[in-house]
Amino acid sequence: MELIFKLALVVVIFLISLVIAMYSTYAERKVAAFLQDRIGPNRAGPWGILQPLADGGKMFLKEEIIPTNANTFLFIVGPSLAIMTACIGSAVIPWGQQLTIGKYVIDLQVADINVGILYIFGVVSLGVYGIMIGGWASNNKYSLLGAIRAASQNISYEIAMGLSIIALLMVTGTLSLRQIAEQQHGFWANGWFAWNAFKQPLGFLLFLICAFAETNRSPFDLPECETELVGGYHTEYSSMKLGFYLFAEYINMFISSAVMATLFFGGYNFPFMDLIHSANLVTIIGVVVLFVKIFAFIFFFMWIRWTIPRFRYDQLMDLGWKVLIPLAIANIIITGLWTTFIRG
């Protein structure tokens, strides 16, 4: 029975990820329209809410084109790997506490492994292979340049992201996302804010910036920079293979938001949760609270896209190697001194 519950949870999370990615495209255009004093999609359905379905139908029905000199097998593997790595990142995220239905106890986490953060980093590092393979297999110099940009950008910012997490691990003492979420129970603990964003403000800022770079979101969208690369690494793609790349970006944005909410903003925890005596009600409210935090981060991703202009590539690399990595190392030293002499 436990296996059935786990499979059901996997299917539910997969469907939620796809629906959120699908409607993130709608929200992106609505947010852009609001910030630019426009209307945005408003034809397909009331307020344009059926626009993602129209876009999905268009993707499925468009002509499938594979360039003559492309490596056909790898050309298909690229977007498939990108969407797969985007979806499996949600396996270790705790979406809520336990839910009790009759004699069954359902844990709202697919896999509670004690190295959950390392799993997330492993999945993130695999995602760049989908972009790199797709850009190389296209046999297009612009696609290849976009893929090389993506690889160098992801490697550069993964270092700063990993270093920012080290300081957090020094505070929490665990790699398990479940345990990190449980340590942030409620909002106030031991005379201080329980959420890690207040304990590690610099670490959170570094992680947030690196999350923008890892998801290829503006102002770090150099791998698909239209001004000099046509469409970047997916220039030669059409139909649903292009849709896979686009979906992977939005699913990565959703998963990144969930990880940041869990690591730094308490995850499913919320203020005054101990005042509610029904465990199931606390779990349900916690799931809703977690998704509110996730949607707030997604809105922030979109807000930044339509506010800050794109970096030049030398500025992007300088920021990663000359600013973020030294700051992350300094944060580790400061955190070490704090845990040794003040907290101890």
Side-chain angles (χ1 to χ4, degrees), residues 249-268:
E249 177 181 322
Y250 284 103
I251 293 176
N252 282 327
M253 187 168 64
F254 167 59
I255 299 300
S256 298
S257 300
V259 170
M260 286 189 289
T262 301
L263 292 179
F264 295 100
F265 286 89
Y268 51 77

Side-chain angles (χ1 to χ4, degrees), residues 19-293:
V19 170
I20 289 178
M22 186 169 62
Y23 272 91
S24 291
T25 63
Y26 170 77
E28 180 98 74
R29 284 175 283 182
K30 279 295 187 181
V31 169
F34 174 76
L35 294 175
Q36 298 169 355
D37 197 22
R38 296 186 288 107
I39 296 176
N42 66 338
R43 298 297 186 205
W47 306 288
I49 59 174
L50 299 181
Q51 186 65 45
L53 300 179
D55 292 338
K58 179 187 72 174
M59 286 290 185
F60 276 110
L61 297 174
K62 284 185 73 173
E63 182 182 0
E64 188 81 17
I65 298 174
I66 297 179
T68 303
N69 296 319
N71 186 313
T72 304
F73 175 72
L74 293 180
F75 191 79
I76 297 172
V77 167
S80 303
L81 185 60
I83 192 72
M84 185 189 73
T85 54
C87 290
I88 63 177
S90 60
V92 296
I93 297 174
W95 302 99
Q97 294 178 330
Q98 292 180 335
L99 195 63
T100 304
I101 301 176
K103 63 179 181 179
Y104 299 109
V105 177
I106 303 173
D107 193 1
L108 299 183
Q109 184 180 13
V110 175
D112 183 12
I113 57 178
N114 57 3
V115 288
I117 295 180
L118 293 182
Y119 173 86
I120 292 289
F121 273 86
V123 169
V124 167
S125 62
L126 285 175
V128 72
Y129 284 100
I131 295 174
M132 194 68 204
I133 290 173
W136 180 84
S138 298
N139 196 29
N140 179 311
K141 62 181 180 182
Y142 296 109
S143 298
L144 181 59
L145 282 173
I148 293 172
R149 283 184 173 189
S152 57
Q153 174 178 309
N154 285 18
I155 291 170
S156 301
Y157 282 82
E158 274 178 20
I159 297 173
M161 179 180 279
L163 292 174
S164 69
I165 287 296
I166 290 176
L168 178 66
L169 299 181
M170 294 169 68
V171 174
T172 60
T174 179
L175 287 164
S176 168
L177 289 172
R178 170 70 74 179
Q179 293 180 21
I180 291 175
E182 290 176 350
Q183 290 178 12
Q184 302 173 79
H185 182 82
F187 183 70
W188 187 269
N190 301 322
W192 186 244
F193 295 106
W195 292 357
N196 289 326
F198 298 101
K199 302 174 184 176
Q200 279 291 312
L202 180 56
F204 164 65
L205 181 61
L206 294 172
F207 192 94
L208 177 66
I209 295 172
C210 293
F212 274 89
E214 290 294 309
T215 54
N216 295 330
R217 295 287 301 182
S218 183
F220 299 95
D221 57 343
L222 273 298
E224 49 192 54
C225 178
E226 299 90 349
T227 50
E228 66 254 29
L229 293 178
V230 188
Y233 59 89
H234 52 59
T235 297
E236 299 289 351
Y237 281 90
S238 62
S239 189
M240 204 55 206
K241 291 197 291 296
L242 173 62
F244 278 175
Y245 273 128
L246 302 181
F247 260 60
E249 177 181 322
Y250 284 103
I251 293 176
N252 282 327
M253 187 168 64
F254 167 59
I255 299 300
S256 298
S257 300
V259 170
M260 286 189 289
T262 301
L263 292 179
F264 295 100
F265 286 89
Y268 51 77
N269 295 292
F270 55 94
F272 311 113
M273 60 189 299
D274 293 328
L275 300 180
I276 303 174
H277 300 294
S278 172
N280 282 351
L281 183 58
V282 171
T283 299
I284 294 171
I285 295 176
V287 173
V288 174
V289 167
L290 174 59
F291 274 92
V292 169
K293 296 174 183 177

Side-chain angles (χ1 to χ4, degrees), residues 288-308:
V288 174
V289 167
L290 174 59
F291 274 92
V292 169
K293 296 174 183 177
I294 291 172
F295 292 150
F297 274 116
I298 291 176
F299 171 75
F300 185 69
F301 272 95
M302 297 176 180
W303 185 13
I304 292 297
R305 174 173 182 176
W306 301 106
T307 305
I308 300 178

